[in-house]
Amino acid sequence: MREEPSRSIPTSVIDRVEDAFFALDTDWRFTYLNDAAQALLERPREELIGRVMWDEFPETVETQFPDGFYHAMDEQVSVSFEVYHLPLDTWLEAQAYPSESGLSVYMRDVTDRKHRETKLAQHGAVVEAIKDGVFTLDRNNRIASINDALERGLGVDREAVVGKHVEAILERADIDTDHAVDIGQAINELDVGNAAHRELEIPYRDASGTDRVGNVRMVPVDDGTAKLAGVVRDITEQREYERIITSLHEVTRWLLQSDDPEEICAIAVHAGSDLLDLPISGVWLLDDEHGYLDPVAGTAGAHDEFGGLPRFRQGEGLVWDVFEAGEAELYDDLQEIEGIYNPKTPIRSEIIVPIGTHGVLMTGALEPHRFDESDLDLLSTLAENTRAALDRADRERVLRERTERLEQQTERLEAVATVLSEDLDRELTAVADALEERSESGGGATAAGSHSQSEWEFPLAEDTVEETLDRAERLVDDIQEFARNATTVGTRTRVDLETAIETAVEASRIEFASVVVEQSASLRADPERFANMLETIFNDADARATSDVTVQVGLIGFELSGVSGVSGVSRGGVRGSSTSTSADTGDEQGTGFGTDTDAPRGFYLLDDASEIPPSAHDQVLDPAADVSDGIDGLGLAVARAIAEAHGWSVSISNGENGGTRFEVHDVTTLEPV
């Protein structure tokens, strides 16, 4: 038994289909109309897409349309019926095919055919001039006549088949056994008067051996010779068109199930290749950072033909022109077009469709005039569905990032609450213990009833009290800084690194320090928050120091061959040096700076205080970690938060000669001065 035909038909032939086709979603809203449907309904598709059919054509409510369409959707079965449309004075034949996402409706104007059938019933004549195949059968189911269209379509000689049983046509058309039985049953039902007409959809093979689909409509006639007339209409192209539209509904569902832009583009490209028979296709998305259209998906045919897809920059070729204009374009012959990207391209015809503001979808062919307006419409529909999926992916990405930020903020606030509770409690406990000691040692009444009270001295020295209050104040400052939104900073301006360091040292707690800056530099940052970051690092070094501390500041991502010669100062001072103060900097002395292209730009601060052990490098950057090192407040976690707010990253290591090295990476605006 032969399977039903599934041969793919090029979409370029679909536009020649004369019958109307439209698609409805589950809410009875129009999602697609072809040109024939617009002409039949006398309404442009722009007015109907997204509109409810019953609202736009209220006169259809009193016809068979609602019952037929609801039955198709409720039972998920195809339906077929004829209806007279009074406003159009037209007999319409409707065939509806349901899916989970809606209804595909095929309609044709059968007014002429109704007239023909009436004429056949009255006069027993067969119209030879029509393009559909026509045959008649006598009372013994022998072939009484066939018209020219059927003769040409099946490649048979009418004189050779007239007078033979109808099976002669069925065999010539290679109709399988099951469908042959259906035809025989329909003929019997017409013979006994159980039906006024019968209509079947039958797969067959034409004169060239191509698998086709025919709509066979049979009616009883009585002209003395024939008892039955059949009209065969080739609906292969129409069925292929319906298959494509229905498949586009499925593709849309696949697109909307993904939140990965590259996967979405790959689905679109392969849908164009497999579904629309467009083997040379690709998708380019706009790279916002670099400002070019980057190829993210392509068909195997495109890679086989070109070995990869090019990247398009502003003003380069037709792809960029279409993206910038935002209007789809069809090019029949690229050899006749000026300003193409590659004048030697083997591509002759091309369709380029913008995907909103995301990028473009392009398909090409090696022959000119390969595409038509139907291909342009279908590719535009695919591009619009791709745009909707990419918009959704963007929204999902923003939502995920926002959720992650909220989770990070929650973790930070929980960590802050822990520090606030534990550190402040420790300081306040000291004061409470002192007050309790006073209460226990206070003077009472003497034996003689005297009320003199023993003189009491606060157990904490003045400097100790001041230190306690300072520690609490610093803790509050750290918490306020850390609790700020780490994803945003204030207005960034050009900041001189040495000036920022001087400001930070002056505000820090280090009493005696020497800060050596290897090379003057500038960067763009929020001046206040950047200074706070440096101050936090200096305070951390001071907390670990047992005597005077020295901090060396150097650049990362540059080849050092010379340094500034600024004289050094003590408290609050910054000095330049012509030599390195640590053997682990890896810098060579000379004259000038060169960029190290293998390392991201940044800077480091290396102190000679007691080093943070390697096992605690990660913990000191985490406000939630339990680090018992005697350091007040949040310490380096604040510096990390400020750096990340600028889009930088941080790390901690130890110098080869001891001390701790705090590195800030990815400072793309850093420039030696």
Side-chain angles (χ1 to χ4, degrees), residues 615-629:
S615 60
H617 287 173
D618 291 336
Q619 288 92 324
V620 296
L621 296 175
D622 182 1
D626 182 13
V627 182
S628 300
D629 57 3

Side-chain angles (χ1 to χ4, degrees), residues 530-549:
F530 182 60
N532 287 345
M533 183 188 80
L534 296 173
E535 177 187 346
T536 300
I537 298 172
F538 291 143
N539 285 341
D540 177 78
D542 176 74
R544 289 183 283 104
T546 57
S547 60
D548 294 350
V549 61

Side-chain angles (χ1 to χ4, degrees), residues 462-475:
E462 181 179 350
D463 58 346
T464 304
V465 174
E466 291 179 355
E467 180 181 349
T468 299
L469 295 178
D470 285 345
R471 284 162 57 89
E473 182 180 359
R474 291 195 298 269
L475 176 61

Side-chain angles (χ1 to χ4, degrees), residues 558-619:
F558 300 92
E559 295 177 355
L560 175 63
S561 55
V563 293
S564 59
V566 182
S567 60
V569 296
S570 59
R571 169 62 180 165
V574 178
R575 66 181 174 89
S577 171
S578 60
T579 60
S580 298
T581 61
S582 175
D584 68 299
T585 62
D587 297 329
E588 297 181 358
Q589 300 171 17
T591 57
F593 255 78
T595 302
D596 182 359
T597 57
D598 295 331
R601 295 186 178 190
F603 59 91
Y604 68 87
L605 295 92
L606 174 62
D607 64 62
D608 60 0
S610 299
E611 69 177 27
I612 299 175
S615 60
H617 287 173
D618 291 336
Q619 288 92 324

